[in-house]
Amino acid sequence: MSASSATHAVARAAPPVRTGRVFVAFVARDLRVVFRKQPTAFLTRVLVEPLTRIFVFSYVLPSVSGRGQQPGGSSFSTVLAPGMLATSMLFAGVLGVAMPMIGELTYPKTVQDRLLTPAPVWAVGAARAVSGAVQALVSVLLVLPIVMFVHAPGQAPDIHVANWPLLAVVVLFGSVLSGVIGLWLGTAIQPAHVSALFGLVMMPAMMLGCVYYPWASLAAIPWLHMLVLLNPVMYLSEGLRAVLTPGAAHLPLWAVLLALVGGSAVVGALSLRSFRRAAMD
Amino acid sequence: MSEAVIAATGLRKTYRTRQGEREAVRSVTLQVRSGEFFGLLGPNGAGKSTTIGMLTTLVQPTGGSAHIAGFDVVRQSREVRRRISLVHQSNAVDRELSVRENLEFRGRYWGMGSRGARARADALLEQFGLGDRRDALFYQLSGGQLRRMLIARALVHHPEVLFLDEPTVGIDPHSRAHLWDVLRELHGRGQTILMTTHNLDEAERFCRRAAIIDAGQVLACDTVGALVARAGGRVTVSATYDGPVDLAALPAGSSAELRRADVREATVHVVTEKPEGLLGELIALGSATGRQLLDMTTSRPSLENAFLELTGRTYRA
Ligand SMILES: Nc1ncnc2c1ncn2[C@@H]1O[C@H](COP(=O)(O)OP(=O)(O)OP(=O)(O)O)[C@@H](O)[C@H]1O
Ligand SMILES: [Mg+2]
């Protein structure tokens, strides 16, 4: 090649760019990376863990113990299904945002190639949270057939949707919540503490998220009953119970929606602040 | 003076880290006019990258102000970003994307449609000799190819001001020469360029004006010719021995220039107006330390001398 071929016009006044357009490009970039360039990584991340867990809890355990009935009369798989969907969503959104974010914020800060665009700084973080929410949504769709069809004979979960719009609202805000939690963790955590993120935050949250039992049944352990009110996984599990398996005990919907919508707003604001602090020198 | 595209006044940055505060830039004032190729020169840690960071809105200034094309880098940062491009010292590429996608998304971030952005990416990659590497990921590129890719990417949206942070570090002479051809051509077309560099020869050859900064302060900001003139008729004599030497061993009666010399292990740099008498003195310094003089070179007055004059240090890349 010759240098004189580096032809191009210089120093035209660049046209103004609308934030919405840049935002869409940010999200498009993330989704291309996750779904088109690294689909196997995504599928392994969202499928393997729920598949194993559901297989053990809904198939192996009922088969070996011969017990499938919960005190409330509903089968264990009915209690487990919404809980599994909730953990899958949170896993997908949180990991899908936090892990790449931590990488892009450590030197060299590769996130700078988006910070240098004509968009406000918050838009870079918000777009990443949105792409996390999309990953959470997709993970629900992928895990749903697993919870429906992987179970011991005669122990199918009793799922029926009475109110589709309400289901959409719960799933939507659950997804957003998982995206913003991911952004918060991904920007507030030092890279050296990533393993602590799993051990100290993710594992307890998942195990104590009322995944295997309804929140109401925790009344037997009053202190835990109150403590898990701080756990976002619990609200999503109970929310999905309310809209997918109304037969099982669950939190009142108003409480779920308040927690999911309010939590999304509060954690969203915190995460954008935290993103700004981590991204700018 | 005519309108400055880059104008910084008393720009200051103190980093707050867990280890405490670090004053990276104390006071930087400079102005660059449209179409200029401006050099920002200084040793490691002088504050060059921090200054560029503030001018490109990535680093929040602690004090002072800066404007790009009349827009405040803090209050109107989006207007600033719309008009500039930065090639980082640290090779900040999007590691998940291919070479072509890096350019394509650069276009989309600036509002181009995806088809237009792809076409622009392909044209630039072709022009920069990267057409056959367009599907490569960053770690599959050589250092020189990566630099070319970063510069191509920086041009996607026709920036008014191009910031280059040490663009030629770590690439071989061939790629370097090629890069210079590209930059010269850009400059010829009226591109405003602000570049930091360690390479004083390059700065001298390509920049019309330059600022020399050290310890976060501008020591001098002038045309390269005027900076060179500051070094007067002095030249730098560099002597290399077969081992480290020590000025403490200098015999009595040695010249004042030699006493002020900058010693780097086995090499001694002396700035002097009369290099003639120095040879004998340098040999004497060697024998006083038990070393042998291997080589001696004399450089003409240059930016390097000016740098030494201003900072009291030699300047080695
Ligand atoms: N993010 C940061 N946090 C804390 N200190 C920093 C940070 N970035 C730079 N510094 C410090 O600020 C000073 C100036 O750094 P800077 O990178 O601006 O220098 P430079 O002139 O670009 O050096 P080099 O030639 O090595 O690239 C150095 O002492 C550096 O250690
Ligand atoms: Mg630097």
Side-chain angles (χ1 to χ4, degrees):
Chain A
M1 80 170 261
S2 83
S4 61
S5 62
T7 47
H8 69 282
V10 171
R12 285 205 239 108
V17 187
R18 272 180 293 116
T19 302
R21 215 179 149 92
V22 192
F23 195 90
V24 168
F26 288 153
V27 176
R29 177 258 170 221
D30 289 349
L31 298 185
R32 179 179 301 188
V33 169
V34 173
F35 296 116
R36 253 169 70 189
K37 299 182 76 84
Q38 305 165 351
T40 347
F42 176 75
L43 290 177
T44 354
R45 198 163 66 225
V46 306
L47 283 181
V48 173
E49 199 270 346
L51 186 60
T52 351
R53 221 147 36 113
I54 292 163
F55 179 67
V56 168
F57 284 108
S58 293
Y59 181 79
V60 177
L61 280 185
S63 305
V64 298
S65 70
R67 288 194 316 118
Q69 293 301 113
Q70 281 290 102
S74 45
S75 77
F76 182 54
S77 57
T78 305
V79 175
L80 185 65
M84 283 310 306
L85 292 172
T87 44
S88 303
M89 278 172 77
L90 280 155
F91 232 78
V94 170
L95 290 191
V97 175
M99 299 315 276
M101 203 74 249
I102 289 170
E104 286 174 335
L105 287 171
T106 29
Y107 186 87
K109 285 187 177 179
T110 53
V111 71
Q112 287 183 340
D113 90 315
R114 271 146 281 152
L115 293 176
L116 279 166
T117 60
V121 173
W122 63 259
V124 180
R128 180 50 63 80
V130 166
S131 63
V134 173
Q135 293 177 58
L137 267 174
V138 173
S139 79
V140 175
L141 299 178
L142 290 174
V143 174
L144 190 60
I146 303 181
V147 300
M148 303 267 289
F149 300 118
V150 178
H151 54 76
Q155 306 255 328
D158 180 17
I159 292 180
H160 58 266
V161 180
N163 190 333
W164 284 97
L166 220 45
L167 171 67
V169 170
V170 169
V171 169
L172 187 70
F173 279 97
S175 301
V176 172
L177 184 62
S178 77
V180 293
I181 292 176
L183 185 65
W184 194 29
L185 293 174
T187 50
I189 279 180
Q190 303 287 315
H193 300 159
V194 174
S195 53
L197 167 67
F198 286 94
L200 287 172
V201 182
M202 301 283 279
M203 274 308 290
M206 297 293 171
M207 291 305 289
L208 297 173
C210 296
V211 175
Y212 309 102
Y213 39 79
W215 179 75
S217 65
L218 274 183
I221 317 170
W223 64 269
L224 191 57
H225 203 205
M226 292 300 119
L227 189 65
V228 296
L229 288 175
L230 296 172
N231 188 349
V233 184
M234 184 279 280
Y235 290 100
L236 193 51
S237 299
E238 291 284 303
L240 289 172
R241 265 180 204 124
V243 291
L244 287 177
T245 60
H250 57 78
L251 271 189
L253 253 173
W254 66 263
V256 167
L257 290 179
L258 186 69
L260 293 183
V261 177
S264 295
V266 171
V267 180
L270 286 173
S271 69
L272 291 182
R273 244 188 39 184
S274 167
F275 174 77
R276 194 188 169 83
R277 197 171 310 145
M280 307 283 287
D281 281 316
Chain B
M1 77 179 269
S2 77
E3 90 296 3
V5 180
I6 305 173
T9 313
L11 212 49
R12 199 153 55 77
K13 176 64 182 183
T14 306
Y15 287 109
R16 282 188 187 80
T17 64
R18 236 161 287 194
Q19 294 81 36
E21 300 205 333
R22 182 159 204 113
E23 207 172 25
V25 172
R26 277 165 223 272
S27 173
V28 164
T29 299
L30 51 84
Q31 294 187 329
V32 177
R33 284 181 291 274
S34 182
E36 266 194 301
F37 196 141
F38 187 89
L40 197 56
L41 318 175
N44 287 129
K48 305 181 295 295
S49 295
T50 304
T51 301
I52 283 208
M54 290 190 278
L55 294 175
T56 55
T57 79
L58 289 175
V59 175
Q60 297 280 295
T62 316
S65 67
H67 292 80
I68 304 289
F71 294 99
D72 187 294
V73 295
V74 176
R75 282 186 306 257
Q76 296 164 299
S77 61
R78 297 177 58 192
E79 291 297 330
V80 170
R81 289 198 288 271
R82 185 149 72 83
R83 292 169 170 79
I84 62 169
S85 249
L86 164 64
V87 175
H88 293 84
Q89 182 175 9
S90 62
N91 288 342
V93 317
D94 193 326
R95 297 179 175 217
E96 318 294 345
L97 300 182
S98 69
V99 167
R100 185 199 203 200
E101 286 169 325
N102 258 284
L103 271 69
E104 177 193 337
F105 274 99
R106 177 59 67 108
R108 291 182 63 179
Y109 298 156
W110 262 262
M112 293 182 196
S114 52
R115 192 173 309 170
R118 260 197 302 276
R120 175 93 180 121
D122 287 341
L124 275 166
L125 288 176
E126 217 44 67
Q127 286 160 13
F128 277 79
L130 291 167
D132 57 337
R133 304 295 289 139
R134 61 186 211 175
D135 294 322
L137 290 167
F138 93 100
Y139 60 84
Q140 295 163 327
L141 296 180
S142 76
Q145 290 171 332
L146 184 56
R147 283 273 146 188
R148 284 210 305 259
M149 187 270 253
L150 290 171
I151 292 179
R153 189 180 70 164
L155 299 176
V156 166
H157 64 276
H158 308 281
E160 262 177 78
V161 185
L162 180 58
F163 291 90
L164 303 166
D165 201 353
E166 318 229 357
T168 56
V169 165
I171 62 175
D172 69 23
H174 177 75
S175 304
R176 183 177 295 218
H178 172 262
L179 209 66
W180 280 115
D181 287 343
V182 169
L183 294 181
R184 208 193 328 244
E185 152 124 10
L186 278 172
H187 177 54
R189 289 167 179 278
Q191 175 76 60
T192 310
I193 302 176
L194 185 150
M195 172 187 75
T196 74
T197 181
H198 279 137
N199 190 324
L200 291 173
D201 281 344
E202 289 178 342
E204 202 170 350
R205 238 177 315 151
F206 295 99
C207 302
R208 194 145 331 142
R209 288 199 317 130
I212 293 179
I213 83 170
D214 191 23
Q217 268 172 315
V218 177
L219 300 179
C221 179
D222 215 328
T223 62
V224 169
L227 290 174
V228 170
R230 288 206 189 187
R234 284 175 279 255
V235 295
T236 305
V237 175
S238 304
T240 306
Y241 298 85
D242 61 354
V245 290
D246 189 353
L247 285 182
L250 270 181
S254 302
S255 64
E257 283 94 346
L258 186 52
R259 291 190 177 286
R260 276 203 306 269
D262 184 45
V263 182
R264 301 276 167 104
E265 301 267 301
T267 305
V268 177
H269 305 283
V270 194
V271 176
T272 178
E273 277 177 55
K274 32 184 198 322
E276 307 80 28
L278 210 54
L279 179 59
E281 284 199 87
L282 287 166
I283 294 173
L285 170 63
S287 30
T289 347
R291 300 293 180 200
Q292 216 174 350
L293 182 63
L294 297 179
D295 184 36
M296 193 177 102
T297 56
T298 304
S299 63
R300 64 200 165 76
S302 69
L303 208 46
E304 183 145 351
N305 300 47
F307 185 83
L308 182 53
E309 279 291 292
L310 289 162
T311 65
R313 281 188 273 161
T314 35
Y315 199 150
R316 293 284 147 196

